[in-house]
Amino acid sequence: MNYSARNFVVSLLTKDDQIKAEDKFSQLVENYPSAFLKNCLNNIGTHDTERIKTVLHGNENLVAIAFSLLMMLPGVPCIYYGDEAGLIGKKTLIIAASFHGDVGVNF
């Protein structure tokens, strides 16, 4: 799992430290073989990260941008269960919200 790609996307969209995020991602690209980066699973959600919609404070436009960036980074895009439907929640091994018709995210 390419957590560096996730951290890069989150940092860019939350305005944490965008310059630092860009520098770290540039270092990743420069220091790892091209074949490694092309075969990494790029994800913005896993069982041990908060759901992307939670991290982006429910802003569906930013969620859509996050998925767009995910598809453009070197590597294999990987969408974790629940993120594709816009579920909210914290770190968990189970789905952190249920499908009760309140999700309403269209990508």
Side-chain angles (χ1 to χ4, degrees):
M1 297 294 186
N2 189 351
Y3 290 101
S4 297
R6 179 192 195 272
N7 294 340
F8 171 68
V9 169
V10 169
S11 292
L12 285 179
L13 298 177
T14 59
K15 299 182 177 139
D16 283 342
D17 190 347
Q18 294 174 341
I19 302 285
K20 188 175 180 181
E22 291 171 17
D23 287 343
K24 283 187 175 185
F25 196 75
S26 293
Q27 289 173 2
L28 178 76
V29 171
E30 292 170 0
N31 292 316
Y32 283 90
S34 177
F36 170 82
L37 289 174
K38 290 178 182 175
N39 291 291
C40 257
L41 292 177
N42 290 341
N43 58 339
I44 54 174
T46 69
H47 65 90
D48 58 352
T49 61
E50 292 181 355
R51 299 257 184 246
I52 194 64
K53 189 171 181 182
T54 301
V55 172
L56 299 177
H57 308 291
N59 185 323
E60 294 178 6
N61 290 328
L62 290 180
V63 173
I65 292 170
F67 279 109
S68 297
L69 288 170
L70 174 71
M71 300 298 169
M72 291 185 277
L73 292 172
V76 181
C78 178
I79 300 174
Y80 196 62
Y81 69 85
D83 279 336
E84 77 279 3
L87 293 180
I88 58 171
K90 304 285 184 185
K91 299 175 185 177
T92 181
L93 293 175
I94 58 173
I95 294 178
S98 58
F99 293 95
H100 291 292
D102 58 350
V103 176
V105 176
N106 297 312
F107 290 84

